Amino acid sequence: MTIQLYNTLTRRKEPFQPLEKDRVHFYVCGPTVYNFIHIGNARVFVFFDVVRRYLTYRGYEVHYIQNFTDVDDRLIKQSIEEGRAVPEVAESYIKAYFEDMDDLGVNRADVHPRATEHIKEMQDAIRALIKKGYAYEVDGDVYYRPLKKEDYGQLSNQPLEELKAGARIEMNDRKDNPLDFALWKKAKPGEISWDSPWGKGRPGWHIECSAMARKYLGDTLDIHAGGMDLCFPHHENEIAQSEAWTGKPFARYWLHNGFINMGAEKMSKSLGNVERVRDLRSRYTGRELRWFLLSAHYRNPISFSDESIRQIGGAIARIDTAVTNLSHRIGAALDGEAEKVMRERLRTLTVDFEKAMDDDLNTANAISVLFEGVHLANELVARDVVSRGSLEAVLGWLNHFGGDILGLVKTTREVDLEAEIEAKIEERQQARRDRDFSRADAIRDELAAQGILLEDTPQGVRWRRK
RNA sequence: GGCGGCAUAGCCAAGUGGUAAGGCAGAGGACUGCAAAUCCUUUAUCCCCGGUUCGAAUCCGGGUGCCGCCUCCA
């Protein structure tokens, strides 16, 4: 079974076949670091983090690149507002970005190239495009002519006529055509700038991805991903430039994720309902947010609300309890290998998990398979007789698929109880043996107040943190 | 105007031809000193109207409602 991916370029699911058999060249459009990222940005980074992990699990050597746009109009604007230089602003939000991502369990990309560190590569690209007649200079600006290639509009499925007719014309009479876009922007006085053959200026937005993707991944990418809104014009323009520049197809699979709505309305700055990850982290755990982002299929919209996250909390508790109970039961289990029937059931779960992920990365279904694993774990824990091998096999399965791949299951073991609390538990056990239940209940309540929940089982007292 | 998406239980959410996954919440039962956890059982005229088909949430046509993109917004 091969992985099927919905390719925006062809508007259907296609079997995934990288250019090189076992290697995947994967580029994700990263954030513009002019501010803290919001939950919508996070969806991109969390989801494609899972895609990368899954492809790695499937045996591919994944080269995963995600850029930082660290110079553009918004950064310049922000730097004026904050009274700090652009590089300083960028640096601080890059740092913030990593803090947010660490909390959401997103792994680092292989390289996080920054636009400002690739000015030379971009200038090379621009020079080449001018030479080929795709770009032209006008008084320190350089523009690209997307219409020179007749297949422009292919990715976003926009007929050229419509693009021409519907273009909201930017008031700029220096362009030959309204659809032309800037590769290089002339610096205004006082703005951050770099020397170039066209005078002092800075790169346009689209060219950075083309230049950096080529540098780190080569002429043709296997997967290029980002939010749906980047489809037009950003990705369309990247294709135009890159293909004009290299003469090769730019990317083979284009993946775009859907948006997050705030309740029923779209999240937007003008509505003032943008939820920053930074702020959400003070209310929710990174895991809850990550789970929320993976709980629906990536191309579907998801609606953010406190109620949805609250429900996620219940689901997480179910899995955590199963993991805790499994660990506790392992302590009292008989030595022994995993039963054959158990290995077979886990094998089936693995197949189901792969089936879900192979079908256009259906994390919602993958999570439901995780719960089948939880159910299996709970059945085992409740048995009078069970081998340690079986318990460990299930725990290992949950950790691997729920933890390593989805990043949702906590793989760290609880630290040992402090001696004081252990003494309390023993004291309560003695009270129970003496049938002094009011004393026993009082101790249980006392620990509960500290967030320690006690559960009596045939294998002794089990505890977990609330 | 152009391109596209969505409508499934109280809530979240899978499911693209064979009589509805999973989670949250609820109800009943088992287990327990009481709990908790868990297990079992239980909760859906799949937005409406037509059509195709032996058979449709799934395909086609028509409605209704909501939403996104159409130059720098994930």
Side-chain angles (χ1 to χ4, degrees), chain A residues 27 31 33 66-72 75 94 112-122 184 194 203-205 207-209 211-212:
Chain A
Y27 187 94
V33 285
Q66 184 188 300
N67 68 299
F68 283 118
T69 300
D70 59 352
V71 61
D72 85 327
L75 266 144
I94 286 173
H112 283 278
R114 303 181 187 193
T116 57
E117 290 171 1
H118 297 79
I119 300 292
K120 184 188 168 296
E121 286 83 350
M122 289 187 250
W184 188 262
W194 288 262
W205 178 33
I207 195 66
E208 75 174 73
C209 289
M212 297 192 285

Side-chain angles (χ1 to χ4, degrees), chain A residues 19-236:
Chain A
L19 215 48
E20 294 174 46
K21 190 168 171 292
D22 299 317
R23 194 172 296 178
V24 178
H25 293 98
F26 194 164
Y27 187 94
V28 177
C29 283
T32 300
V33 285
Y34 71 107
N35 211 322
F36 295 107
I37 63 160
H38 57 68
I39 186 74
N41 298 311
R43 186 179 193 184
V44 179
F45 308 133
V46 165
F47 176 69
F48 291 108
D49 175 62
V50 170
V51 176
R52 174 212 204 171
R53 293 177 189 219
Y54 184 66
L55 291 171
T56 304
Y57 159 77
R58 292 294 243 115
Y60 294 106
E61 182 186 319
V62 182
H63 292 252
Y64 191 72
I65 308 296
Q66 184 188 300
N67 68 299
F68 283 118
T69 300
D70 59 352
V71 61
D72 85 327
D73 291 342
R74 287 172 297 168
L75 266 144
I76 290 169
K77 186 162 171 273
Q78 188 74 15
S79 97
I80 292 164
E81 275 173 27
E82 294 189 11
R84 296 194 288 171
V86 167
E88 220 178 302
V89 172
E91 194 58 42
S92 72
Y93 291 117
I94 286 173
K95 185 165 168 281
Y97 166 85
F98 282 128
E99 286 165 5
D100 288 343
M101 289 301 104
D102 287 347
D103 199 36
L104 293 180
V106 173
N107 293 144
R108 295 285 193 276
D110 294 312
V111 185
H112 283 278
R114 303 181 187 193
T116 57
E117 290 171 1
H118 297 79
I119 300 292
K120 184 188 168 296
E121 286 83 350
M122 289 187 250
Q123 291 184 352
D124 289 346
I126 295 168
R127 250 193 303 266
L129 290 169
I130 291 174
K131 202 170 167 193
K132 292 189 175 199
Y134 283 96
Y136 56 95
E137 192 224 327
V138 183
D139 183 29
D141 285 339
V142 180
Y143 294 102
Y144 183 87
R145 300 180 219 272
L147 298 182
K148 191 171 163 77
K149 286 188 74 199
E150 68 296 330
D151 59 355
Y152 186 68
Q154 197 184 356
L155 181 70
S156 51
N157 195 27
Q158 298 285 329
L160 273 186
E161 305 316 310
E162 280 306 323
L163 282 177
K164 289 177 195 162
R168 292 181 197 161
I169 299 170
E170 194 178 312
M171 289 315 287
N172 184 343
D173 49 20
R174 299 199 288 185
K175 294 187 197 177
D176 289 355
N177 184 292
L179 284 174
D180 294 353
F181 57 87
L183 296 176
W184 188 262
K185 293 187 172 187
K186 181 182 182 175
K188 296 195 183 90
E191 273 182 4
I192 184 169
S193 66
W194 288 262
D195 289 327
S196 84
W198 319 286
K200 283 189 177 296
R202 61 193 160 85
W205 178 33
H206 314 300
I207 195 66
E208 75 174 73
C209 289
S210 289
M212 297 192 285
R214 187 180 196 187
K215 173 170 180 178
Y216 294 99
L217 297 172
D219 291 350
T220 300
L221 315 176
D222 291 302
I223 301 175
H224 191 129
M228 233 158 197
D229 55 337
L230 294 185
C231 192
F232 188 90
H234 184 52
H235 289 161
E236 201 76 76

